Amino acid sequence: MTSQACPTDEPIQHFPVMAEEIEEFIEQHKPRVIFDGTVGLGGHAKRILEKFSFVELYIGADIDEEALERAKEVLADYEDRVMLCHGSYEDIEELLVEVGKGQPEAILIDLGASTLQLKDGRRGFSFSNNGPLDMRMDKRRSLTALQILQNSSAKELQRIFSTYGEFRFSKTLAQAIVAAKEKPEDTASLASFVTKVLPQKFVKQRRRHPATQVFQALRIAVNDELGIIERALPNLFECLASEGIFMAISFHSLEDRLVKRFFKKGLGICKCPKDLPTCICGEKPKLELLTKRPITASDMEIWENPPSRSAKLRVAKKL
């Protein structure tokens, strides 16, 4: 299979996940300033700016420079209300200083890989189009997926596949990669390698390609995705205006667990023994949950955009 490039001027069909649900919260709370930490191709941004004139400033950040170039084109009609920044939402304080305009009254993060990254074979995020085992969202990073496969011990690879991919045969695959005389060097060869070393009964029973979780695990490891989320959540919340809303879309249990845990901690549940007449622990709520359970995509959206089937939206209001 030859490498499939995705030229920067090639149109990509992009569906912002749970856009209608996001817009319901925007409509209800009417934020004047929105910070979108993962603006991507500008799908959510365009719909929100088109629909809500009360949004005076939409700050869109992304670590992917190619995505920002696409977003700039998509949002050209709203350039007087948009500020695009190259950087991680983890560094929201620095990005807001760079923009120098207003405190966000709504924050949106749409976690995981973007449409552009998954469809561009040159980026190495997917085996649907063959390409180098890169997987860097931010090209300024030095570590690639290929380097992880070539330089990691079997124990470290097993940890990556098990922790980040929740992969059933992590040990088997890790040992096979380390023992291989010719290690996979592109996305197609890695997908093929995974298929060959796993029990064929397991491979045939799978609805999804057995390498899907392996690619997810490597992508998370390369980009330190979970570490960034964990560090970013308190930074984002601190920068959010009082009474502002925090909206987080996750695509797998590891991301969702971090968001859920952070929101739960912010509820400030009293930890004192029940027999004490008054609270002495000092726990006070910092947020109000606007979604007691995560919102998931509708059947219609899943039919139109299958990747949305794994998405979960959690929303909280800062007190």
Side-chain angles (χ1 to χ4, degrees):
M1 187 181 293
T2 58
S3 179
Q4 299 289 322
C6 179
T8 55
D9 59 350
E10 179 182 320
I12 290 179
Q13 192 173 20
H14 172 56
F15 299 92
V17 175
M18 284 192 276
E20 291 184 2
E21 289 81 355
I22 291 289
E23 288 157 20
E24 286 180 13
F25 286 102
I26 298 293
E27 173 70 51
Q28 182 180 355
H29 294 274
K30 294 180 170 51
R32 292 168 298 175
V33 180
I34 296 176
F35 178 84
D36 185 341
T38 48
V39 71
L41 300 182
H44 281 111
K46 183 177 181 180
R47 287 182 55 128
I48 289 170
L49 289 164
E50 190 175 71
K51 193 170 182 179
F52 304 117
S53 59
F54 56 75
V55 177
E56 299 171 7
L57 177 61
Y58 198 102
I59 306 167
D62 209 291
I63 56 175
D64 191 324
E65 286 186 286
E66 289 186 33
L68 282 176
E69 286 301 313
R70 296 288 186 108
K72 186 176 181 180
E73 296 173 8
V74 169
L75 302 174
D77 292 340
Y78 308 96
E79 59 182 0
D80 60 327
R81 298 162 63 200
V82 173
M83 294 285 290
L84 297 178
C85 310
H86 181 216
S88 170
Y89 56 83
E90 177 186 4
D91 302 317
I92 181 173
E93 291 176 278
E94 289 84 351
L95 295 175
L96 291 178
V97 169
E98 179 185 327
V99 171
K101 295 181 180 180
Q103 185 179 18
E105 296 173 354
I107 287 178
L108 170 64
I109 50 173
D110 185 352
L111 306 170
S114 72
T115 303
L116 175 63
Q117 292 159 351
L118 293 173
K119 289 187 177 293
D120 188 344
R122 299 171 303 176
R123 306 295 295 274
F125 285 89
S126 170
F127 44 82
S128 57
N129 291 322
N130 190 29
L133 283 166
D134 190 321
M135 301 195 190
R136 290 174 297 167
M137 293 179 177
D138 187 345
K139 291 295 184 70
R140 295 173 297 185
R141 283 185 174 270
S142 58
L143 184 67
T144 66
L146 180 61
Q147 291 172 333
I148 289 177
L149 290 177
Q150 290 181 335
N151 303 324
S152 299
S153 65
K155 184 177 181 180
E156 176 61 11
L157 286 176
Q158 180 182 348
R159 184 192 69 82
I160 290 172
F161 298 148
S162 177
T163 303
Y164 301 146
E166 299 176 305
F167 189 58
R168 180 178 172 186
F169 296 99
S170 297
K171 185 175 182 179
T172 300
L173 178 60
Q175 291 177 337
I177 289 173
V178 171
K181 293 182 179 179
E182 294 185 9
K183 291 180 173 55
E185 294 189 348
D186 55 36
T187 58
S189 61
L190 175 58
S192 176
F193 187 93
V194 171
T195 302
K196 289 177 181 178
V197 302
L198 298 184
Q200 290 306 297
K201 183 179 179 180
F202 171 77
V203 173
K204 292 176 181 178
Q205 289 176 343
R206 297 277 293 176
R207 290 184 179 181
R208 296 188 298 170
H209 194 288
T212 302
Q213 291 165 280
V214 175
F215 272 70
Q216 172 187 294
L218 288 170
R219 189 199 81 212
I220 290 174
V222 166
N223 297 286
D224 187 27
E225 291 180 41
L226 299 183
I228 288 175
I229 295 171
E230 196 161 20
R231 294 189 298 269
L233 288 172
N235 293 347
L236 291 163
F237 195 75
E238 181 67 26
C239 291
L240 181 64
S242 179
E243 301 297 312
I245 55 171
F246 191 121
M247 302 169 285
I249 302 173
S250 60
F251 285 85
H252 58 74
S253 59
L254 299 173
E255 295 170 342
D256 181 59
R257 200 174 299 151
L258 291 175
V259 176
K260 180 182 179 181
R261 187 187 305 158
F262 178 77
F263 282 0
K264 184 177 181 180
K265 184 178 180 182
L267 290 173
I269 300 172
C270 178
K271 299 176 183 177
C272 296
K274 293 182 179 180
D275 57 349
L276 284 181
T278 58
C279 172
I280 61 172
C281 71
E283 286 288 336
K284 294 182 179 179
K286 297 178 181 178
L287 59 81
E288 174 190 347
L289 287 181
L290 301 183
T291 52
K292 292 185 179 180
R293 293 183 179 180
I295 298 173
T296 56
S298 66
D299 292 340
M300 177 60 72
E301 179 173 2
I302 293 171
W303 181 79
E304 292 178 340
N305 181 29
S308 68
R309 65 182 176 272
S310 57
K312 291 182 178 180
L313 169 64
R314 293 184 185 271
V315 184
K317 182 176 76 171
K318 184 174 180 178
L319 300 177

Coordinates of all heavy atoms in Angstrom, one line a residue, residues 106-171:
A106 N -17.3 30.7 28.7 CA -17.5 29.3 28.4 C -16.2 28.7 27.9 O -15.5 29.4 27.2 CB -18.6 29.2 27.3
I107 N -16.0 27.5 28.2 CA -14.8 26.7 27.8 C -15.2 25.4 27.2 O -16.1 24.7 27.7 CB -13.8 26.5 28.9 CG1 -13.1 27.8 29.3 CG2 -12.7 25.5 28.5 CD1 -12.1 27.7 30.4
L108 N -14.7 25.1 26.0 CA -15.0 23.8 25.3 C -13.7 23.1 25.0 O -12.8 23.7 24.4 CB -15.8 24.1 24.0 CG -15.9 23.0 23.0 CD1 -16.8 21.9 23.7 CD2 -16.6 23.4 21.7
I109 N -13.6 21.8 25.3 CA -12.5 21.0 24.9 C -13.1 19.7 24.3 O -14.0 19.1 24.9 CB -11.5 20.6 26.0 CG1 -12.2 20.1 27.3 CG2 -10.6 21.8 26.4 CD1 -11.3 19.6 28.3
D110 N -12.6 19.4 23.1 CA -13.1 18.3 22.3 C -11.9 17.4 22.2 O -11.0 17.6 21.3 CB -13.6 18.7 20.9 CG -14.2 17.6 20.1 OD1 -14.1 16.5 20.5 OD2 -14.8 17.9 19.1
L111 N -11.8 16.4 23.1 CA -10.6 15.6 23.2 C -10.4 14.5 22.1 O -11.3 14.2 21.5 CB -10.6 15.0 24.6 CG -10.8 16.0 25.8 CD1 -11.0 15.2 27.1 CD2 -9.6 16.9 25.9
G112 N -9.2 14.0 22.0 CA -8.9 13.0 21.0 C -8.3 13.6 19.7 O -8.1 14.7 19.6
A113 N -8.1 12.7 18.8 CA -7.6 13.1 17.5 C -8.7 13.7 16.6 O -9.9 13.4 16.7 CB -7.1 11.8 16.7
S114 N -8.2 14.6 15.7 CA -9.2 15.3 14.9 C -9.4 14.6 13.5 O -8.6 13.7 13.2 CB -8.7 16.8 14.6 OG -7.5 16.7 13.7
T115 N -10.4 15.1 12.8 CA -10.7 14.5 11.5 C -9.5 14.7 10.6 O -9.1 13.7 9.8 CB -11.9 15.2 10.8 OG1 -13.0 15.1 11.7 CG2 -12.2 14.6 9.5
L116 N -8.8 15.8 10.6 CA -7.7 16.1 9.8 C -6.6 15.1 10.1 O -5.9 14.6 9.1 CB -7.2 17.5 10.0 CG -5.9 18.0 9.3 CD1 -6.1 17.9 7.8 CD2 -5.5 19.4 9.7
Q117 N -6.3 14.9 11.3 CA -5.2 14.0 11.7 C -5.5 12.6 11.3 O -4.6 11.9 10.8 CB -5.0 14.1 13.2 CG -4.4 15.4 13.7 CD -4.7 15.7 15.1 OE1 -5.4 15.0 15.8 NE2 -4.1 16.8 15.7
L118 N -6.7 12.1 11.5 CA -7.0 10.7 11.1 C -7.1 10.5 9.6 O -6.7 9.4 9.2 CB -8.4 10.4 11.8 CG -8.4 10.3 13.3 CD1 -9.9 10.1 13.8 CD2 -7.5 9.2 13.8
K119 N -7.4 11.5 8.8 CA -7.6 11.2 7.4 C -6.3 11.5 6.6 O -6.2 11.2 5.4 CB -8.7 12.1 6.9 CG -10.1 11.6 7.3 CD -11.2 12.4 6.6 CE -12.6 11.8 7.0 NZ -12.8 10.5 6.5
D120 N -5.3 12.2 7.2 CA -4.1 12.5 6.6 C -3.1 11.4 6.8 O -2.5 11.2 7.9 CB -3.5 13.8 7.1 CG -2.3 14.3 6.3 OD1 -1.7 13.5 5.6 OD2 -2.0 15.5 6.4
G121 N -2.8 10.6 5.8 CA -1.9 9.4 5.9 C -0.5 9.8 6.3 O 0.2 9.0 7.0
R122 N -0.1 11.0 6.0 CA 1.2 11.5 6.3 C 1.4 11.6 7.8 O 2.6 11.7 8.3 CB 1.5 12.8 5.7 CG 1.5 12.8 4.2 CD 1.5 14.2 3.6 NE 0.5 15.1 4.1 CZ 0.3 16.4 3.8 NH1 1.2 17.0 3.1 NH2 -0.7 17.1 4.3
R123 N 0.3 11.7 8.6 CA 0.4 12.0 10.0 C 0.6 10.7 10.8 O 1.0 10.7 12.0 CB -0.8 12.8 10.5 CG -1.1 14.1 9.8 CD 0.0 15.1 10.0 NE 0.1 15.5 11.4 CZ -0.6 16.5 11.9 NH1 -1.5 17.1 11.2 NH2 -0.4 16.8 13.2
G124 N 0.2 9.6 10.2 CA 0.4 8.3 10.9 C -0.6 7.9 12.0 O -0.3 7.0 12.8
F125 N -1.7 8.6 12.1 CA -2.7 8.3 13.1 C -3.5 7.1 12.9 O -4.1 6.5 13.8 CB -3.6 9.5 13.4 CG -2.9 10.7 14.1 CD1 -2.2 11.6 13.4 CD2 -2.9 10.7 15.5 CE1 -1.6 12.7 14.0 CE2 -2.3 11.8 16.1 CZ -1.6 12.8 15.4
S126 N -3.7 6.7 11.6 CA -4.6 5.7 11.2 C -4.0 4.7 10.2 O -3.1 5.1 9.5 CB -5.9 6.3 10.7 OG -6.7 5.3 10.1
F127 N -4.5 3.5 10.2 CA -4.0 2.5 9.2 C -4.9 2.5 7.9 O -4.7 1.7 7.0 CB -3.9 1.1 9.8 CG -5.0 0.7 10.6 CD1 -6.2 0.2 10.0 CD2 -5.0 0.8 12.0 CE1 -7.3 -0.2 10.8 CE2 -6.1 0.5 12.8 CZ -7.2 0.0 12.2
S128 N -5.9 3.4 7.9 CA -6.8 3.4 6.7 C -6.0 3.9 5.5 O -6.3 3.6 4.4 CB -8.0 4.2 7.0 OG -7.7 5.5 7.4
N129 N -5.1 4.9 5.8 CA -4.2 5.4 4.7 C -2.8 5.2 5.2 O -2.4 5.7 6.3 CB -4.4 6.9 4.5 CG -5.7 7.1 3.8 OD1 -6.2 6.4 2.9 ND2 -6.4 8.2 4.2
N130 N -2.0 4.4 4.5 CA -0.6 4.1 5.0 C 0.2 5.4 5.1 O 0.1 6.3 4.3 CB 0.0 3.1 4.0 CG 1.3 2.6 4.6 OD1 1.5 2.5 5.8 ND2 2.3 2.2 3.8
G131 N 1.1 5.4 6.1 CA 2.0 6.5 6.2 C 3.0 6.2 7.3 O 3.0 5.1 7.9
P132 N 3.9 7.1 7.6 CA 4.9 6.9 8.6 C 4.3 6.8 10.0 O 3.3 7.4 10.3 CB 5.8 8.2 8.5 CG 4.9 9.2 7.9 CD 4.0 8.5 7.0
L133 N 5.0 6.1 10.9 CA 4.5 6.0 12.3 C 4.9 7.2 13.1 O 5.9 7.2 13.8 CB 5.1 4.7 12.9 CG 4.3 3.4 12.5 CD1 5.1 2.2 12.9 CD2 2.9 3.3 13.1
D134 N 4.2 8.3 12.8 CA 4.5 9.6 13.5 C 3.6 9.8 14.7 O 4.0 9.7 15.8 CB 4.4 10.7 12.4 CG 5.0 12.0 12.9 OD1 4.8 12.3 14.1 OD2 5.6 12.7 12.1
M135 N 2.4 10.2 14.4 CA 1.3 10.4 15.4 C 1.5 11.6 16.3 O 0.8 11.8 17.3 CB 1.2 9.2 16.3 CG 0.8 7.9 15.6 SD 0.2 6.6 16.7 CE 0.2 5.2 15.6
R136 N 2.4 12.5 15.9 CA 2.5 13.8 16.7 C 1.4 14.8 16.3 O 1.3 15.1 15.1 CB 3.9 14.4 16.5 CG 5.1 13.6 17.0 CD 6.4 14.3 16.6 NE 6.5 14.2 15.2 CZ 7.5 14.9 14.5 NH1 8.3 15.7 15.1 NH2 7.6 14.8 13.2
M137 N 0.7 15.2 17.3 CA -0.3 16.3 17.0 C 0.4 17.6 16.9 O 0.1 18.4 16.1 CB -1.3 16.4 18.2 CG -2.2 15.1 18.3 SD -3.3 15.3 19.7 CE -4.3 13.8 19.5
D138 N 1.5 17.8 17.7 CA 2.3 19.0 17.7 C 3.6 18.6 17.1 O 4.4 17.9 17.7 CB 2.4 19.5 19.1 CG 3.1 20.9 19.1 OD1 3.8 21.3 18.1 OD2 3.1 21.6 20.2
K139 N 4.0 19.1 15.9 CA 5.2 18.7 15.3 C 6.4 19.2 16.0 O 7.6 18.8 15.7 CB 5.2 19.3 13.8 CG 4.2 18.7 12.9 CD 4.5 17.2 12.7 CE 3.6 16.6 11.7 NZ 3.8 17.1 10.3
R140 N 6.2 20.1 17.0 CA 7.4 20.5 17.8 C 7.9 19.4 18.8 O 9.0 19.5 19.3 CB 7.0 21.8 18.6 CG 6.7 23.0 17.8 CD 6.2 24.1 18.6 NE 4.9 23.8 19.2 CZ 4.2 24.7 19.9 NH1 4.6 26.0 20.0 NH2 3.1 24.4 20.5
R141 N 7.0 18.4 19.0 CA 7.5 17.3 19.8 C 8.5 16.4 19.1 O 8.4 16.3 17.8 CB 6.3 16.4 20.2 CG 5.4 16.9 21.3 CD 4.3 15.9 21.6 NE 3.5 16.4 22.8 CZ 3.8 16.1 24.0 NH1 4.8 15.4 24.3 NH2 3.0 16.6 25.0
S142 N 9.4 15.8 19.8 CA 10.4 15.0 19.1 C 10.1 13.5 19.1 O 10.5 12.8 18.1 CB 11.8 15.2 19.8 OG 11.7 14.8 21.2
L143 N 9.4 13.1 20.0 CA 9.1 11.6 20.1 C 8.0 11.2 19.1 O 6.9 11.8 19.0 CB 8.6 11.3 21.5 CG 8.3 9.8 21.8 CD1 9.6 9.0 21.8 CD2 7.7 9.6 23.2
T144 N 8.2 10.1 18.4 CA 7.3 9.6 17.4 C 6.9 8.2 17.8 O 7.5 7.6 18.7 CB 7.8 9.5 16.0 OG1 8.9 8.6 16.0 CG2 8.3 10.9 15.6
A145 N 5.8 7.7 17.2 CA 5.4 6.3 17.5 C 6.4 5.3 17.1 O 6.6 4.3 17.7 CB 4.1 6.0 16.8
L146 N 7.1 5.6 16.0 CA 8.2 4.7 15.5 C 9.3 4.6 16.5 O 9.8 3.5 16.8 CB 8.7 5.2 14.2 CG 9.9 4.4 13.5 CD1 9.4 3.0 13.2 CD2 10.4 5.0 12.3
Q147 N 9.7 5.7 17.1 CA 10.7 5.7 18.1 C 10.3 4.9 19.3 O 11.1 4.1 19.9 CB 11.1 7.1 18.5 CG 11.8 7.9 17.4 CD 12.0 9.3 17.8 OE1 11.2 9.9 18.5 NE2 13.0 10.0 17.2
I148 N 9.1 5.0 19.7 CA 8.6 4.2 20.9 C 8.7 2.7 20.5 O 9.1 1.9 21.4 CB 7.1 4.5 21.2 CG1 7.0 5.9 21.8 CG2 6.5 3.5 22.1 CD1 5.6 6.4 22.1
L149 N 8.3 2.3 19.4 CA 8.3 0.8 19.0 C 9.7 0.3 18.9 O 10.0 -0.8 19.2 CB 7.6 0.6 17.6 CG 6.1 0.8 17.6 CD1 5.5 0.6 16.2 CD2 5.4 -0.2 18.6
Q150 N 10.6 1.2 18.4 CA 12.0 0.7 18.2 C 12.8 0.7 19.4 O 13.8 -0.1 19.6 CB 12.7 1.6 17.1 CG 12.1 1.4 15.7 CD 12.8 2.3 14.7 OE1 13.4 3.4 15.0 NE2 12.8 1.9 13.4
N151 N 12.5 1.6 20.4 CA 13.4 1.8 21.5 C 12.9 1.4 22.9 O 13.7 1.3 23.8 CB 13.8 3.3 21.6 CG 14.5 3.8 20.4 OD1 15.2 3.1 19.7 ND2 14.2 5.1 20.0
S152 N 11.6 1.0 23.0 CA 11.1 0.6 24.2 C 11.3 -0.8 24.6 O 11.3 -1.7 23.7 CB 9.6 0.9 24.3 OG 9.3 2.3 24.1
S153 N 11.3 -1.2 25.9 CA 11.4 -2.5 26.3 C 10.0 -3.2 26.2 O 9.0 -2.5 26.0 CB 11.9 -2.6 27.8 OG 10.9 -2.0 28.6
A154 N 10.0 -4.5 26.3 CA 8.7 -5.2 26.2 C 7.9 -4.8 27.4 O 6.6 -4.7 27.2 CB 9.0 -6.7 26.3
K155 N 8.5 -4.6 28.5 CA 7.7 -4.2 29.7 C 7.0 -2.8 29.5 O 5.9 -2.6 29.8 CB 8.6 -4.1 30.9 CG 7.9 -3.8 32.2 CD 8.8 -3.9 33.4 CE 8.1 -3.6 34.7 NZ 9.0 -3.6 35.9
E156 N 7.8 -1.9 28.9 CA 7.2 -0.5 28.7 C 6.2 -0.6 27.6 O 5.1 0.1 27.7 CB 8.4 0.4 28.2 CG 7.9 1.8 27.9 CD 7.2 2.6 29.0 OE1 7.3 2.1 30.2 OE2 6.7 3.7 28.7
L157 N 6.4 -1.3 26.5 CA 5.3 -1.5 25.5 C 4.1 -2.1 26.0 O 3.0 -1.7 25.7 CB 5.9 -2.3 24.3 CG 6.9 -1.6 23.4 CD1 7.4 -2.6 22.3 CD2 6.3 -0.4 22.7
Q158 N 4.2 -3.1 26.9 CA 3.1 -3.7 27.5 C 2.3 -2.7 28.3 O 1.1 -2.7 28.3 CB 3.5 -4.9 28.4 CG 2.3 -5.6 29.0 CD 2.8 -6.8 30.0 OE1 3.9 -7.2 29.9 NE2 1.9 -7.2 30.8
R159 N 3.0 -1.9 29.1 CA 2.3 -0.9 29.9 C 1.6 0.1 29.0 O 0.4 0.5 29.3 CB 3.4 -0.1 30.7 CG 2.8 0.9 31.6 CD 3.8 1.9 32.2 NE 4.4 2.8 31.2 CZ 3.8 3.9 30.8 NH1 2.6 4.2 31.3 NH2 4.3 4.7 29.9
I160 N 2.2 0.5 27.9 CA 1.5 1.5 27.0 C 0.2 0.9 26.4 O -0.8 1.5 26.4 CB 2.5 1.9 25.9 CG1 3.6 2.8 26.5 CG2 1.7 2.7 24.7 CD1 4.7 3.1 25.5
F161 N 0.4 -0.4 25.8 CA -0.8 -1.0 25.2 C -1.9 -1.3 26.2 O -3.1 -1.2 25.9 CB -0.4 -2.3 24.5 CG 0.6 -2.1 23.4 CD1 1.6 -3.1 23.2 CD2 0.7 -1.0 22.6 CE1 2.5 -2.9 22.1 CE2 1.6 -0.8 21.6 CZ 2.5 -1.8 21.4
S162 N -1.5 -1.7 27.4 CA -2.5 -2.1 28.4 C -3.2 -0.8 29.1 O -4.4 -0.8 29.2 CB -1.8 -2.9 29.5 OG -2.7 -3.2 30.6
T163 N -2.4 0.2 29.4 CA -2.9 1.3 30.1 C -3.6 2.3 29.2 O -4.7 2.7 29.5 CB -1.7 2.1 30.8 OG1 -1.0 1.3 31.7 CG2 -2.3 3.3 31.6
Y164 N -3.1 2.6 28.0 CA -3.7 3.5 27.1 C -4.6 3.0 26.1 O -5.4 3.7 25.6 CB -2.6 4.3 26.4 CG -1.6 5.1 27.4 CD1 -0.3 5.3 27.1 CD2 -2.1 5.6 28.6 CE1 0.6 5.9 27.9 CE2 -1.3 6.3 29.4 CZ 0.1 6.5 29.1 OH 0.9 7.1 29.9
G165 N -4.4 1.7 25.8 CA -5.3 1.0 24.8 C -6.2 0.0 25.4 O -7.1 -0.5 24.7
E166 N -6.0 -0.3 26.7 CA -6.8 -1.3 27.4 C -6.9 -2.6 26.5 O -8.0 -3.2 26.3 CB -8.2 -0.8 27.7 CG -8.1 0.4 28.7 CD -9.5 1.0 29.0 OE1 -10.2 1.4 28.0 OE2 -9.9 1.2 30.1
F167 N -5.7 -3.0 26.0 CA -5.6 -4.0 25.0 C -5.4 -5.4 25.7 O -4.5 -5.5 26.5 CB -4.4 -3.7 24.1 CG -4.3 -4.6 22.9 CD1 -5.4 -4.7 22.0 CD2 -3.2 -5.3 22.6 CE1 -5.3 -5.5 20.8 CE2 -3.1 -6.1 21.5 CZ -4.1 -6.2 20.6
R168 N -6.2 -6.3 25.3 CA -6.2 -7.6 25.9 C -4.9 -8.4 25.8 O -4.5 -9.1 26.7 CB -7.4 -8.4 25.4 CG -7.5 -9.8 25.9 CD -8.8 -10.5 25.3 NE -8.9 -11.9 25.7 CZ -9.8 -12.7 25.1 NH1 -10.7 -12.2 24.2 NH2 -9.8 -14.0 25.5
F169 N -4.3 -8.3 24.7 CA -3.0 -9.1 24.4 C -1.8 -8.2 24.4 O -0.9 -8.3 23.6 CB -3.2 -9.8 23.1 CG -4.3 -10.8 23.0 CD1 -5.5 -10.5 22.4 CD2 -4.1 -12.1 23.6 CE1 -6.5 -11.5 22.4 CE2 -5.1 -13.0 23.6 CZ -6.3 -12.7 23.0
S170 N -1.7 -7.3 25.4 CA -0.6 -6.4 25.5 C 0.7 -7.0 25.6 O 1.7 -6.7 24.9 CB -0.8 -5.4 26.6 OG -2.0 -4.6 26.5
K171 N 0.8 -8.0 26.5 CA 2.1 -8.7 26.7 C 2.5 -9.5 25.5 O 3.7 -9.4 25.1 CB 1.9 -9.7 27.9 CG 3.2 -10.3 28.3 CD 3.1 -11.2 29.6 CE 4.4 -11.8 30.0 NZ 4.2 -12.6 31.2

